[in-house]
Amino acid sequence: MQNINKEILEKISNETKNSIGGISIVTPSIYADIFLKYASSHDADIGDEHKITDYLLSQKISQFTNLQETTAKNAQQLSQNTGRAINAIKDKDETTLKKILQETKNLQNEIERLKKSIYKDELTGAYNRKWLHDNCLKEDSENFKNSGILAIIDLNYFKIINDTYGHIVGDKVLIFIANQLKKIKESVIRYGGDEFIIIFSAHSTKEDAYKILDTIRENIIKKSLIAKESSFKVSFSFGICEFKKDNIMSDVIEMADSDMYEDKIRIKKRIDGIY
């Protein structure tokens, strides 16, 4: 078993872009960051062969390659269908046109499936960072397209949960929290580890966002989760920041983060550990 080296990590980070119907699909590079954060959140040293094996990494590369190949195949098929359709129109071949129409519809469905897989966090089903960048920021920039409200959510005592009950239970907690946040019917993004971001639409106010998140938090605190024949409680802290069109996302997140840490101090005075 060899150590994971820079050459393999660079292979993961190599971008492949294919344009399908105006959709720019970026594959391996966005997952490199996710993989590294996953390793970090599980206390895994990238150079430690006992914690992350070359086999695991090769599986990830294989998944990226399959997605890449499917995207390229669909693009080629669309191009071929266009040529066939032009010839069928010239020949007034309605049978072929109907067949091409059905094939194109199937390809469109496949493209939508690919879009969802690219924008989805595998564990929680929330959106991922790529969705945030592609849908909320101007192209090739860190500036917001529109105005709105950003909330950042961070679980309290999550490391204690992982250390006490294991990472499988920790993953279930993340899924549970994500599902509760999705009830808001706003855009929920898993930003990394146990952090989530919610983008509230422009018609919302900071007061609206605070009331909604505080209500969800209070409901969660009342619940007891079961693991290994014992129960524990979970909670989260949050920070909220209003942003305007062209504001830089990192600046907005930093302000929301500062607000969230003040909230964390308050909430931890109420909640001692996972009790």
Side-chain angles (χ1 to χ4, degrees):
M1 206 76 71
Q2 298 177 347
N3 284 335
I4 295 172
N5 52 46
K6 291 183 179 179
E7 182 180 349
I8 297 178
L9 290 176
E10 288 172 357
K11 185 174 182 180
I12 297 179
S13 298
N14 183 34
E15 288 188 354
T16 300
K17 295 185 179 181
N18 289 289
S19 182
I20 298 180
I23 302 165
S24 179
I25 296 181
V26 184
T27 48
S29 65
I30 61 170
Y31 292 98
D33 185 50
I34 294 172
F35 175 74
L36 293 173
K37 288 183 182 301
Y38 179 88
S40 176
S41 68
H42 285 68
D43 301 320
D45 183 350
I46 297 300
D48 189 339
E49 63 183 6
H50 298 295
K51 294 182 180 177
I52 301 179
T53 67
D54 288 341
Y55 172 72
L56 174 61
L57 188 54
S58 67
Q59 280 188 319
K60 293 293 180 184
I61 294 174
S62 177
Q63 291 173 6
F64 304 150
T65 302
N66 289 339
L67 179 60
Q68 180 180 321
E69 290 175 350
T70 301
T71 303
K73 181 180 177 181
N74 286 345
Q76 183 181 17
Q77 185 64 54
L78 280 173
S79 177
Q80 291 174 352
N81 280 2
T82 301
R84 290 168 58 206
I86 291 171
N87 291 332
I89 291 170
K90 288 179 180 178
D91 298 336
K92 297 181 180 180
D93 186 348
E94 292 185 8
T95 302
T96 300
L97 278 174
K98 288 180 180 178
K99 183 178 179 181
I100 293 171
L101 177 61
Q102 185 58 52
E103 289 177 356
T104 302
K105 285 181 178 179
N106 292 339
L107 284 170
Q108 288 174 334
N109 291 335
E110 177 67 11
I111 289 168
E112 287 303 313
R113 188 190 67 78
L114 282 171
K115 281 178 63 179
K116 289 180 180 179
S117 68
I118 288 170
Y119 288 143
K120 186 177 180 180
D121 174 62
E122 287 186 5
L123 177 65
T124 64
Y127 291 127
N128 56 23
R129 283 194 180 197
K130 178 165 177 59
W131 183 92
L132 177 63
H133 282 77
D134 288 359
N135 288 271
C136 299
L137 304 182
K138 292 183 175 180
E139 188 174 357
D140 298 325
S141 80
E142 290 290 312
N143 303 87
F144 280 105
K145 292 179 182 178
N146 302 298
S147 300
I149 303 290
L150 180 147
I152 190 162
I153 291 97
D154 182 77
L155 271 66
N156 296 319
Y157 303 110
F158 186 64
K159 187 177 186 305
I160 296 177
I161 293 173
N162 275 333
D163 291 346
T164 305
Y165 300 104
H167 291 294
I168 292 177
V169 172
D171 285 350
K172 290 180 178 180
V173 168
L174 291 173
I175 294 169
F176 168 71
I177 294 295
N179 288 339
Q180 298 304 305
L181 295 176
K182 287 178 199 174
K183 293 178 180 179
I184 300 173
K185 304 300 182 185
E186 298 282 3
S187 300
V188 179
I189 302 104
R190 187 181 178 198
Y191 192 62
D194 60 331
E195 284 188 329
F196 294 87
I197 280 177
I198 298 179
I199 302 294
F200 290 84
S201 54
H203 62 76
S204 300
T205 66
K206 286 183 68 174
E207 290 74 20
D208 293 335
Y210 182 88
K211 288 178 182 177
I212 290 169
L213 288 172
D214 190 54
T215 298
I216 289 177
R217 176 168 62 188
E218 291 303 316
N219 289 335
I220 288 174
I221 289 174
K222 293 174 184 176
K223 299 179 184 296
S224 292
L225 304 183
I226 307 298
K228 297 182 178 179
E229 299 182 353
S230 62
S231 64
F232 64 95
K233 291 183 180 289
V234 296
S235 67
F236 61 77
S237 295
F238 62 86
I240 300 170
C241 182
E242 183 178 2
F243 61 88
K244 301 295 184 183
K245 181 180 177 180
D246 289 324
N247 282 167
I248 299 172
M249 184 177 71
S250 59
D251 292 343
V252 175
I253 290 177
E254 185 176 353
M255 287 186 284
D257 221 28
S258 177
D259 188 44
M260 183 266 290
Y261 278 107
E262 290 183 12
D263 180 73
K264 192 175 282 288
I265 292 171
R266 289 193 297 269
I267 196 70
K268 283 190 172 183
K269 287 180 180 178
R270 289 178 52 198
I271 301 170
D272 182 18
I274 59 176
Y275 57 101

